[in-house]
Amino acid sequence: FKSDKEFERITKLLKQGEMTAFYLIWYGCGRLLIEGLRTDSLMFLGIRVSQWLSGILILVGIIMVVLRRRKATIPFYQP
């Protein structure tokens, strides 16, 4: 981030725990693409096992965000 004020502005939009959820989503996306380039991978149902895991990480992250947004009692992030 460019400054502390910009970081504070962005984090005010997040509820507690969403930073972890977004990490899971972005990590899963990156890993999904990178593992697609490998040639020595274990396959399951025609897709690499590591890509299955990446897809699961993405889904878990999305579910976390949706559930946290629906629950009104979870406070917003306080830097």
Side-chain angles (χ1 to χ4, degrees):
F1 296 105
K2 295 179 183 178
S3 68
D4 289 336
K5 287 186 179 185
E6 185 177 346
F7 179 75
E8 287 179 22
R9 184 179 60 84
I10 291 171
T11 55
K12 285 181 183 177
L13 302 173
L14 299 175
K15 286 194 171 189
Q16 289 182 356
E18 287 184 350
M19 193 77 76
T20 302
F22 287 122
Y23 174 80
L24 290 175
I25 294 169
W26 284 109
Y27 178 78
C29 289
R31 183 175 168 138
L32 186 73
L33 294 173
I34 291 170
E35 292 296 333
L37 301 173
R38 292 186 63 166
T39 58
D40 60 340
S41 297
L42 178 63
M43 302 292 272
F44 179 70
L45 297 176
I47 301 175
R48 293 174 175 87
V49 172
S50 55
Q51 289 180 312
W52 280 108
L53 177 63
S54 299
I56 291 169
L57 289 174
I58 293 167
L59 286 175
V60 168
I62 292 170
I63 290 169
M64 284 176 64
V65 171
V66 169
L67 291 178
R68 292 192 164 282
R69 287 292 165 160
R70 285 186 178 175
K71 199 168 190 179
T73 58
I74 297 174
F76 281 89
Y77 181 73
Q78 300 288 327

